[in-house]
Amino acid sequence: MKRYEQYIRKVVPYVPGEQPHFSDMIKLNTNENPYPPTPAVQEALQSQQGECMRLYPDPTAHQLNAAIAKAYHVEEEQVFTGVGSDDVLAMIFQTFFNSDMPILFPDITYAFYPVWCSLFRIPYEILPLNEKFEIVPEEYFRPNGGIVFPNPNAPTGIALPLSDIERILQHNAESIVVIDEAYVDFGAQSALPLLEKYENLIVVQTFSKSRSMAGERIGFAIASKKLIKVLHDVKYSFNSYTMNHSAIVTGAAAVADEAYLQKITAKIVSTRENTKKVLSGLGFVFPNSKSNFLFVTHPDLDAHALFKALREEHIFVRWFDMPRIRNYLRITIGTDAQMEKLFAFLQHYLDTQKK
């Protein structure tokens, strides 16, 4: 080994969901929205001129931050935006999790958390979900260097009641508590109302799911002005121009169209609830998801074998080779037509297994 190799930082990277390219595929593996963004997004793009591509974007992302602040009834100084919620969360990890004490997060959760801890050399401790895959608030009533978890959790889809989130905050007044709300618009309670009471709370959301803009990479955090200021200090020490021009203008247009957001999320929730009924009738079991996906298992089926069989038919879902959840599949809620094709395949597959 050469001397310089001793100092290379080595991490086990996060593995994103597969991005296949088949004309006939049903893509239910990365929790994207099956519907297009609000027409206001296309209008915003068409209104832009080539000159905007030649110049640097606004480093403060004022237009986008102001639109988010207006939509969520906070001040602009309480908003931080980044290139997807992954970028926002990475900035939060770098900025706030610098204690010798471990940060805390669940054992079954977003797989990027331990990756960032490894990359930034942050000590961490994983706390087990209970047998129902639920977060146990009392487990977080201990000394720590910070707390982070999704609500609804991923990949389970289970939402923690706001009262339990407040209990965690009450027992952790000396720690930063980050609630990752990537899927909150599909039926969970947001922790945003708690910001008035808890200055150590940071709420993170994304445009990738409910607003159908995964390709634009827009995430944001809302917190106290004090916490947002130090986040900006870290951002400007790293890269002033994180948000490109098209993301700023289309994001501002999207967040202003609340009616479209409610229409599309209601449509997905309706399909999700129907999917629960159909899959339950086929013998699948799953937690009560409040997200845009279901986390399913079947007592008579091997999840990995089913995953591969689906893939052969260009139906893509997510399988995790991890303890406790190897026999589960995460299935994104698609359009009604896509889900009907999934149901037909599953019925055929079950009939085949019985022979």
Side-chain angles (χ1 to χ4, degrees):
M1 178 182 289
K2 297 185 183 298
R3 188 167 64 87
Y4 68 79
E5 293 183 276
Q6 301 174 44
Y7 305 105
I8 295 174
R9 185 166 298 186
K10 298 180 178 66
V11 295
V12 178
Y14 171 74
V15 179
E18 184 179 3
Q19 295 292 342
H21 299 282
F22 298 101
S23 59
D24 62 339
M25 70 179 179
I26 298 176
K27 191 170 182 296
L28 307 175
N29 66 327
T30 49
N31 298 341
E32 293 140 323
N33 196 311
Y35 302 105
T38 167
V41 166
Q42 187 62 37
E43 292 171 10
L45 277 176
Q46 291 175 344
S47 70
Q48 300 310 300
Q49 312 219 351
E51 188 78 352
C52 296
M53 301 299 109
R54 183 180 68 81
L55 302 175
Y56 281 112
D58 175 10
T60 70
H62 163 67
Q63 182 182 359
L64 176 57
N65 289 358
I68 292 171
K70 182 178 180 181
Y72 289 92
H73 309 292
V74 297
E75 296 184 54
E76 187 176 345
E77 293 80 9
Q78 290 181 262
V79 178
F80 176 88
T81 46
V83 186
S85 58
D86 289 344
D87 179 47
V88 174
L89 286 162
M91 289 285 183
I92 289 170
F93 273 56
Q94 286 182 299
T95 304
F96 298 108
F97 297 157
N98 297 298
S99 167
D100 292 333
M101 292 188 291
I103 70 166
L104 309 177
F105 50 81
D107 64 332
I108 300 171
T109 194
Y110 188 28
F112 232 136
Y113 299 158
V115 174
W116 286 319
C117 287
S118 176
L119 179 62
F120 303 136
R121 297 177 179 173
I122 300 168
Y124 68 94
E125 182 178 352
I126 57 173
L127 303 180
L129 302 178
N130 66 19
E131 68 281 357
K132 296 180 181 179
F133 291 152
E134 299 167 330
I135 289 173
V136 181
E138 291 79 9
E139 290 287 329
Y140 295 82
F141 301 172
R142 64 178 75 185
N144 62 77
I147 293 171
V148 58
F149 58 86
N151 196 50
N153 195 13
T156 67
I158 298 174
L160 195 64
L162 199 58
S163 57
D164 282 341
I165 293 175
E166 183 159 21
R167 289 172 60 212
I168 291 172
L169 285 160
Q170 289 170 343
H171 284 81
N172 289 279
E174 300 298 320
S175 299
I176 294 294
V177 178
V178 181
I179 311 300
D180 182 355
E181 294 187 342
Y183 304 100
V184 73
D185 292 325
F186 300 103
Q189 289 179 289
S190 175
L192 285 170
L194 298 177
L195 286 170
E196 294 182 3
K197 295 173 64 176
Y198 301 96
E199 64 177 12
N200 59 324
L201 171 63
I202 303 176
V203 177
V204 177
Q205 293 193 16
T206 179
F207 282 52
S208 297
K209 314 302 181 184
S210 57
R211 287 193 167 85
S212 310
M213 296 182 71
E216 278 293 341
R217 310 305 302 127
I218 305 171
F220 63 97
I222 299 179
S224 69
K225 294 180 184 179
K226 179 180 179 180
L227 297 186
I228 294 299
K229 181 185 182 304
V230 293
L231 265 178
H232 277 123
D233 289 344
V234 171
K235 169 188 172 180
Y236 295 142
S237 300
F238 177 69
N239 180 2
S240 298
Y241 302 105
T242 56
M243 303 300 296
N244 67 48
H245 186 78
S246 66
I248 291 172
V249 297
T250 58
V255 79
D257 195 346
E258 178 68 18
Y260 187 84
L261 172 70
Q262 296 302 323
K263 174 185 173 182
I264 293 302
T265 53
K267 201 171 183 178
I268 292 169
V269 167
S270 176
T271 303
R272 181 191 71 202
E273 296 307 302
N274 180 63
T275 299
K276 288 179 181 179
K277 293 177 184 177
V278 175
L279 293 188
S280 180
L282 293 175
F284 288 88
V285 294
F286 40 83
N288 184 27
S289 174
K290 294 295 182 181
S291 61
N292 68 335
F293 57 83
L294 296 181
F295 193 55
V296 311
T297 188
H298 194 290
D300 301 325
L301 299 178
D302 178 86
H304 192 223
L306 176 55
F307 164 79
K308 291 190 292 185
L310 284 161
R311 194 177 186 281
E312 288 176 3
E313 294 298 315
H314 294 175
I315 301 174
F316 295 87
V317 299
R318 193 80 189 267
W319 175 72
F320 300 92
D321 187 10
M322 295 172 59
R324 298 184 68 186
I325 61 173
R326 284 192 177 92
N327 210 43
Y328 282 79
L329 297 176
R330 193 192 68 192
I331 303 174
T332 303
I333 301 301
T335 64
D336 288 334
Q338 288 174 328
M339 302 314 287
E340 288 296 333
K341 291 180 180 178
L342 172 69
F343 302 155
F345 174 87
L346 293 175
Q347 181 66 72
H348 176 74
Y349 187 83
L350 283 163
D351 291 343
T352 302
Q353 297 300 303
K354 292 175 183 176
K355 293 179 180 179

